Amino acid sequence: MSRLLGYCLTLSSVDAWLSFSLIARVRLSAIERGALAYALLKSLDRDTAEMTAAAVIGQGGDPLPPFLGGMDDARQWASWASPQELKAYALAAFEAMPPKDQAAFHRHISTMEVAA
């Protein structure tokens, strides 16, 4: 793995790093890969570390303005969003609703079956 790391640093290409990732998955344990990821993320400034982790884990980013109607766009965004984003935007949207809409929303979600 150390020789492969040297090759990747020398080649400095996306293909080389993707190959490193594939081989690391086979040759290193999950604990070793996690420790390597942790050490490398710790070496980056906070913004770069967050962007890197988000690129790997995937996040929806800010919801886009609705194109037509809004519900389809909202559902599409929700399919990309991380659990933290879903919670944050759901709470913020609920808090921004007028009391009448909050009550209607509460009635709506109270009748839904929730998967455990």
Side-chain angles (χ1 to χ4, degrees):
M1 288 305 302
S2 61
R3 195 172 331 156
L4 182 59
L5 178 60
Y7 296 149
C8 290
L9 291 168
T10 301
L11 293 172
S12 191
S13 71
V14 172
D15 288 337
W17 289 110
L18 291 175
S19 296
F20 181 87
S21 176
L22 293 172
I23 294 169
R25 185 178 190 126
V26 174
R27 298 275 180 136
L28 299 175
S29 70
I31 292 172
E32 291 167 331
R33 294 190 317 270
L36 184 59
Y38 177 83
L40 293 174
L41 286 172
K42 286 292 283 182
S43 73
L44 300 171
D45 63 85
R46 183 174 182 85
D47 288 341
T48 305
E50 286 178 358
M51 286 188 303
T52 303
V56 172
I57 296 168
Q59 289 187 328
D62 295 336
L64 298 173
F67 181 62
L68 294 172
M71 204 55 190
D72 288 337
D73 295 329
R75 286 189 173 110
Q76 184 67 40
W77 174 83
S79 72
W80 301 326
S82 69
Q84 293 84 3
E85 289 172 315
L86 291 171
K87 291 175 189 176
Y89 281 100
L91 181 59
F94 180 79
E95 290 174 344
M97 290 178 189
K100 181 181 173 185
D101 290 341
Q102 285 182 348
F105 182 76
H106 187 271
R107 282 191 303 276
H108 174 72
I109 63 170
S110 296
T111 62
M112 296 178 66
E113 221 174 285
V114 178

